Amino acid sequence: MIDKNRVLIFDTTLRDGEQSPGATMTHDEKLEIADLLDEMGVDIIEAGFPIASEGDFEAVSDIAKRAKFSTICGLARAKLPDIDRCWEAVQHAKSPRIHTFIGTSPLHRAIPNLTMDEMADVIHETVSHARNLCDNVQWSPMDATRTEHDYLCRVVEIAIKAGATTINIPDTVGYTAPTESADLIRMLLERVPGADEIIFATHCHNDLGMATANALAAVDAGARQIECTINGLGERAGNTALEEVVMAMKVRQDIMPYQTHIDTTKIMNISRRVAQVSGFPVQFNKAIVGKNAFLHESGIHQDGVLKNVETFEIMKPADIGLNEANIAMGKHSGRAALRAKLKDLGYELGDNQLKDVFVRFKALADRKKEIYDEDLIALMTDSAANTADDYLQVKWLRVVCGSDGQEAELKMLVDGEEKSSKCQGDGPVDAVFNCVKEIYPTQAKLKLYQVHAVTEGTDAQATVSVRLEEDGRIGTGAASDTDTILASVKAYVGALNRLRLRSQKTAPDADVKTVSYKL
Ligand code: KIV
Ligand code: ZN
């Protein structure tokens, strides 16, 4: 029996989100994010695409074995070996689901060169096959929003008859708009026999910036599952952001009277972790989780908020787990205070991890009088991105710069062996990167180099993000330090480490070509 008041949250950060070029996560990172999603009450976690690689299979299968609350779902193309492999990975979950899909729009039908009738047969065969393995089957007509309505109704009916329990309607290229998104769901509910016995899902990409609005419009029309990712991570412009749809429904119960299982106080923590492990920082003005989402800069706004917080705030920071209690941190703060503060910020550390972070914290406190929350978050980003097990590690750096030119001297560990180099460059960052390239020759091209001041003042830490590309693979790195040049080299070396890991796991061009969905 479908509960019409409940909207199921299907999180695909670990599948669609991880498809963002460069957002690759390690096995342990995927498990950690899955645990956080499970704890926050996500109904269905799409944990990966088991046939895509051995690594994906292992991650889906390990996540399936440990999930306590969530249904664990794997993705499969409309191919029997894909579906079998997917079932192999999810079968040990308390609640497993197979999600199979095929592109149904004219453009997507042309790729495997199937006629409408031939594709209809493939859908019947593959959904029936999935249903024989698992009683929870989701089917998606990829590019549904550009599929002819008559054909869409026909194939949805076939999938329902073959046993699909959820029908997902993807706006694969972010092409639809809210009224059209709602009309499409209404049309399917009216025209397709059996539509009232299954759940319709909405899966929106954000190419025109309408993903969240499109998803909520679909819910208004009768969809009862929203597919989304943390921070809106995903292919190109990303997906519907989990935090946006969940908070929109919570804040506007008057017009969207639906319930979810999500514990919204866990939002900020998971948003930060996903930003760290994916290497995709959250834009400052992003709704709900951006650094500025609860900041009031103008005098009028500050005055209003001080008199009555509701003048300019439609939700409380605490609703998403932003704790305002501010313990002042500085060089006299001890380990217990650091642990408590980090817990407040959403980081629960084991003793060993705390020991390592405490050393870095003390080093920072020696250089910087006041340590703000943002400094600690940057410190955590740095610890997550650069570890003592990395193949390449920065050991020591000296840079001379000024109007006479720039020269850098660098010592690094390469697989534990110390190497050094001295280079000049066009500016200090260029000089240091030249040293890295001399020590570890690479063809990787620098695609992004970005510096953000974490807080204000000339002693502020800088967070540097670097993105590299080699043979179509992408690696990202991020690091923070009060010394911008040191942060730059650590971020660059971090990106090289990720690229190296990626080249061991994937074929060339894995990040830049769209080959994964070909039938
Ligand atoms: O965007 C899309 O169409 C997808 C499908 C695999 C559901 O991600
Ligand atoms: Zn998608």
Side-chain angles (χ1 to χ4, degrees):
M1 191 59 195
I2 298 166
D3 177 356
K4 297 278 179 211
N5 296 320
R6 186 164 299 281
V7 171
L8 300 175
I9 299 296
F10 175 111
D11 182 278
T12 183
T13 307
L14 297 173
R15 199 278 299 166
D16 211 326
E18 216 232 358
Q19 268 169 230
S20 319
T24 328
M25 300 174 201
T26 65
H27 183 81
D28 289 351
E29 287 166 351
K30 286 184 190 173
L31 262 45
E32 185 199 336
I33 298 298
D35 285 350
L36 294 175
L37 293 168
D38 192 30
E39 278 162 27
M40 89 186 292
V42 163
D43 298 280
I44 306 111
I45 298 174
E46 188 163 54
F49 196 169
I51 199 132
S53 70
E54 202 50 43
D56 252 46
F57 178 86
E58 295 296 333
V60 177
S61 138
D62 285 353
I63 291 168
K65 287 176 197 150
R66 57 204 272 146
K68 295 190 180 71
F69 165 82
S70 312
T71 293
I72 302 302
C73 170
L75 185 68
R77 290 170 299 185
K79 292 179 170 212
L80 304 189
D82 271 46
I83 295 170
D84 290 341
R85 190 76 174 140
C86 178
W87 175 239
E88 242 185 280
V90 297
Q91 63 181 327
H92 299 296
K94 282 199 185 110
S95 167
R97 175 181 291 191
I98 296 174
H99 176 194
T100 180
F101 74 98
I102 192 166
T104 51
S105 66
L107 283 166
H108 283 263
R109 290 199 302 269
I111 296 173
N113 198 16
L114 292 178
T115 64
M116 285 180 166
D117 288 346
E118 285 165 346
M119 185 167 279
D121 289 344
V122 170
I123 294 164
H124 182 263
E125 187 196 8
T126 50
V127 176
S128 307
H129 184 73
R131 184 58 203 259
N132 284 336
L133 297 170
C134 180
D135 60 12
N136 188 342
V137 172
Q138 170 166 329
W139 180 72
S140 297
M142 184 163 71
D143 207 14
T145 51
R146 293 192 299 170
T147 299
E148 304 89 329
H149 285 189
D150 287 349
Y151 190 57
L152 188 62
C153 287
R154 177 177 166 199
V155 289
V156 166
E157 184 179 347
I158 290 171
I160 295 175
K161 288 210 173 107
T165 41
T166 300
I167 300 286
N168 176 36
I169 302 299
D171 182 28
T172 306
V173 289
Y175 180 69
T176 199
T179 44
E180 189 181 65
S181 171
D183 288 346
L184 194 59
I185 298 290
R186 252 183 234 115
M187 188 270 299
L188 289 164
L189 279 166
E190 272 163 28
R191 286 182 51 183
V192 178
D196 52 343
E197 279 151 39
I198 54 97
I199 295 223
F200 274 105
T202 172
H203 176 114
C204 301
H205 282 265
N206 203 30
D207 299 64
L208 292 173
M210 293 192 280
T212 295
N214 289 338
L216 292 170
V219 167
D220 195 40
R224 285 295 173 270
Q225 175 179 301
I226 297 180
E227 307 212 353
C228 46
T229 58
I230 302 294
N231 299 340
L233 202 65
E235 294 257 27
R236 307 181 309 278
N239 292 59
T240 300
L242 180 145
E243 59 279 5
E244 292 178 8
V245 281
V246 168
M247 288 310 291
M249 288 188 283
K250 186 175 169 116
V251 172
R252 294 307 309 272
Q253 276 286 299
D254 54 335
I255 53 170
M256 292 180 272
Y258 313 110
Q259 311 303 316
T260 71
H261 286 116
I262 301 295
D263 174 355
T264 62
T265 64
K266 308 238 188 245
I267 284 179
M268 211 50 225
N269 179 25
I270 192 163
S271 160
R272 284 175 181 147
R273 280 308 283 149
V274 167
Q276 283 170 357
V277 301
S278 66
F280 275 60
V282 175
Q283 80 197 47
F284 284 9
N285 57 341
K286 174 120 180 77
I288 322 287
V289 290
K291 186 173 176 238
N292 291 358
F294 291 92
L295 280 187
H296 304 281
E297 182 73 27
S298 85
I300 299 174
H301 284 216
Q302 285 180 352
D303 187 50
V305 168
L306 287 175
K307 288 186 176 125
N308 177 358
V309 79
E310 285 180 17
T311 335
F312 287 102
E313 271 183 20
I314 55 168
M315 56 200 147
K316 295 190 210 65
D319 291 345
I320 58 156
L322 253 185
N323 208 323
E324 285 165 302
N326 221 347
I327 313 169
M329 301 294 292
K331 70 177 182 188
H332 301 297
S333 307
R335 214 173 282 215
L338 181 64
R339 190 196 283 274
K341 181 73 197 174
L342 287 173
K343 191 166 175 224
D344 246 14
L345 293 172
Y347 302 98
E348 299 253 15
L349 303 191
D351 287 345
N352 279 344
Q353 225 185 339
L354 181 70
K355 214 162 128 192
D356 174 55
V357 173
F358 189 66
V359 173
R360 292 173 190 239
F361 163 73
K362 281 286 176 187
L364 178 63
D366 275 340
R367 281 175 285 147
K368 200 170 181 298
K369 248 195 264 134
E370 282 160 321
I371 310 276
Y372 300 102
D373 290 0
E374 289 82 359
D375 288 314
L376 293 175
I377 293 164
L379 201 73
M380 295 305 297
T381 312
D382 201 37
S383 329
N386 304 287
T387 73
D389 303 331
D390 286 339
Y391 184 78
L392 302 172
Q393 289 174 47
V394 176
K395 284 316 279 179
W396 178 88
L397 173 70
R398 173 182 291 145
V399 180
V400 179
C401 46
S403 48
D404 291 341
Q406 293 79 26
E407 188 175 71
E409 220 181 319
L410 176 71
K411 285 187 188 151
M412 272 174 58
L413 292 184
V414 180
D415 200 12
E417 193 189 327
E418 187 168 304
K419 303 209 167 168
S420 59
S421 156
K422 198 180 207 177
C423 289
Q424 296 183 336
D426 202 358
V429 175
D430 192 48
V432 182
F433 285 14
N434 286 341
C435 289
V436 176
K437 283 185 259 181
E438 193 171 281
I439 293 173
Y440 181 74
T442 171
Q443 297 301 314
K445 290 204 175 55
L446 185 66
K447 289 290 177 188
L448 174 99
Y449 170 75
Q450 216 169 46
V451 184
H452 281 302
V454 173
T455 55
E456 280 154 24
T458 48
D459 68 346
Q461 286 199 91
T463 291
V464 178
S465 309
V466 166
R467 183 171 302 171
L468 299 174
E469 187 189 319
E470 186 177 25
D471 288 338
R473 298 186 192 91
I474 290 187
T476 53
S480 306
D481 203 284
T482 47
D483 184 327
T484 311
I485 312 298
L486 197 53
S488 301
V489 68
K490 284 204 237 159
Y492 185 58
V493 165
L496 284 172
N497 279 323
R498 285 212 154 213
L499 205 52
R500 192 174 164 274
L501 278 179
R502 191 127 178 80
S503 68
Q504 289 168 343
K505 285 203 318 193
T506 56
D509 286 336
D511 291 329
V512 291
K513 260 200 197 153
T514 45
V515 291
S516 45
Y517 293 141
K518 270 195 188 169
L519 261 178

